[in-house]
Amino acid sequence: MLISCGDALIDFVPTRNADGREAVMPAVGGSCLNVAIGMARLGAPTGFVGGISTDMFGRMIADHATASNVELALATRSDHQTTLAFVRIVAGESHYAFYDAETATRNWTYRRGSVPFANVEALHVGSTTLVNDQGAAETKALIADARMSSTISFDPNCRPNLVKDKPAYLARMAEFASTADLIKMSDVDFSYLFGDERYHERASALLGQGTSLVVITRGSNGAIAWHAGAGQIEVAAPRIDVADTIGAGDSFQAALLFALHKQTRLARQRLKDIGADELRRALSFAANCAGLTCTRPGADPPWSHEMGWS
């Protein structure tokens, strides 16, 4: 099984009403839930770990995840309210306003011994859950138990408007990166975390500390990956008509993990030994899945019949 741990929320995505005025439409989202949905829709056995409310929005989240074949037995249901995020698209980038005080996601706690890690091939973590102290601490405890048998995937998916103490946040992201076998981040995240540092320099440092694969996505400019054995690999993004970019990075992450799983290259040692051709195929598949996601509004990753892995 593949597991994603973290945020589950409702995005209010921009649209227009019949009179042409700006409006918003609720859509299930949350980076880590999106990753779980993306993996499950492509056909991987997938579970979600995190807090989901029992309120109206929480029921929307649970129904959506279940309809996408995500196993929710490991999620924690509570009567805390659902996190809400309002989205605006500025210069092609999604900008968010979060309402996340005392929510089901913020109040999630890791139940030690609740996850059968011997049956978990990979654990993915990241995004807004790691901004607050409790979410970060609970996720660290989860990773500590998972590392013995499961590959750790990490996407910081930074939300600067939630960060109150940037130096502390940067130190926290570095700590999570030090535990990860696979790190993926967008070029925007990279700039926030590392400023003007060159991609290959930071990738080399991450590989040197034990990470097996580092990937940076660059929107319409495609993605670049670095691997100790396979070297540097670059793949193009498909040419598409963009509806919005919400969930594109999550779709890429989900598809990459799925492709590595299908190639039996997701287990820690198998990932270390992956060849350049296999890695290029996985990255290209991920880029195409992200591209398809961008052609429709909201975080709506593709299903297996739309992508046809073979």
Side-chain angles (χ1 to χ4, degrees), residues 273-290:
D273 296 337
I274 193 171
D277 289 343
E278 292 172 300
L279 182 54
R280 183 180 300 279
R281 184 185 179 201
L283 291 164
S284 295
F285 181 77
N288 287 330
C289 284

Side-chain angles (χ1 to χ4, degrees), residues 184-187 190 199 214-218 222-226:
K184 192 276 291 181
M185 69 187 89
S186 70
D187 51 357
F190 187 95
Y199 291 156
V214 178
V215 183
I216 296 174
T217 58
R218 304 172 300 159
I224 310 177
W226 292 263

Side-chain angles (χ1 to χ4, degrees), residues 8-301:
L9 52 83
I10 296 293
D11 284 323
F12 285 85
V13 299
T15 184
R16 292 192 178 274
N17 63 19
D19 297 328
R21 291 181 294 177
E22 287 189 8
V24 292
M25 176 181 66
V28 174
S31 177
C32 294
L33 182 69
N34 290 340
V35 171
I37 287 171
M39 293 188 296
R41 285 186 176 186
L42 289 171
T46 303
F48 175 75
V49 176
I52 300 177
S53 178
T54 55
D55 67 11
M56 177 183 71
F57 291 126
R59 292 193 295 273
M60 284 177 59
I61 290 169
D63 290 347
H64 182 69
T66 300
S68 295
N69 302 320
V70 176
E71 173 59 60
L72 294 182
L74 301 176
T76 302
R77 303 300 298 272
S78 74
D79 60 3
H80 296 288
Q81 66 184 8
T82 299
T83 301
L84 306 180
F86 289 80
V87 188
R88 293 206 77 182
I89 310 299
V90 180
E93 290 288 336
S94 300
H95 294 254
Y96 295 83
F98 289 92
Y99 294 82
D100 191 32
E102 297 302 317
T103 61
T105 292
R106 286 288 291 269
N107 284 279
W108 167 75
T109 57
Y110 168 48
R111 295 169 291 167
R112 195 96 190 249
S114 63
V115 181
F117 285 115
N119 300 322
V120 175
E121 190 175 10
L123 166 68
H124 174 72
V125 302
S127 197
T128 60
T129 305
L130 307 185
V131 174
N132 67 83
D133 293 341
Q134 178 176 321
E138 299 294 335
T139 305
K140 286 177 188 176
L142 179 72
I143 291 172
D145 286 352
R147 275 194 60 79
M148 292 292 291
S149 55
S150 306
T151 296
I152 307 301
S153 163
F154 171 54
D155 176 5
N157 195 29
C158 306
R159 294 290 180 256
N161 58 323
L162 295 179
V163 175
K164 306 303 182 186
D165 182 344
K166 186 173 180 179
Y169 177 76
L170 295 181
R172 179 176 290 171
M173 293 302 98
E175 184 177 358
F176 277 103
S178 72
T179 69
D181 301 292
L182 187 161
I183 299 171
K184 192 276 291 181
M185 69 187 89
S186 70
D187 51 357
V188 175
D189 290 339
F190 187 95
S191 295
Y192 183 72
L193 295 172
F194 306 114
D196 294 330
E197 185 174 356
R198 295 185 177 184
Y199 291 156
H200 72 272
E201 292 174 350
R202 176 54 53 175
S204 179
L206 292 169
L207 293 177
Q209 72 181 17
T211 299
S212 293
L213 178 62
V214 178
V215 183
I216 296 174
T217 58
R218 304 172 300 159
S220 61
N221 292 318
I224 310 177
W226 292 263
H227 184 274
Q232 179 178 324
I233 295 176
E234 184 171 354
V235 298
R239 294 183 178 182
I240 55 169
D241 293 325
V242 177
D244 67 43
T245 59
I246 298 170
D250 303 328
S251 183
F252 185 102
Q253 184 84 42
L256 177 59
L257 292 170
F258 168 81
L260 294 171
H261 162 74
K262 292 296 287 185
Q263 293 173 313
T264 66
R265 288 295 185 182
L266 190 49
R268 182 170 292 121
Q269 188 56 51
R270 295 283 292 168
L271 181 60
K272 287 181 181 294
D273 296 337
I274 193 171
D277 289 343
E278 292 172 300
L279 182 54
R280 183 180 300 279
R281 184 185 179 201
L283 291 164
S284 295
F285 181 77
N288 287 330
C289 284
L292 181 56
T293 302
C294 290
T295 65
R296 45 206 192 194
D300 187 8

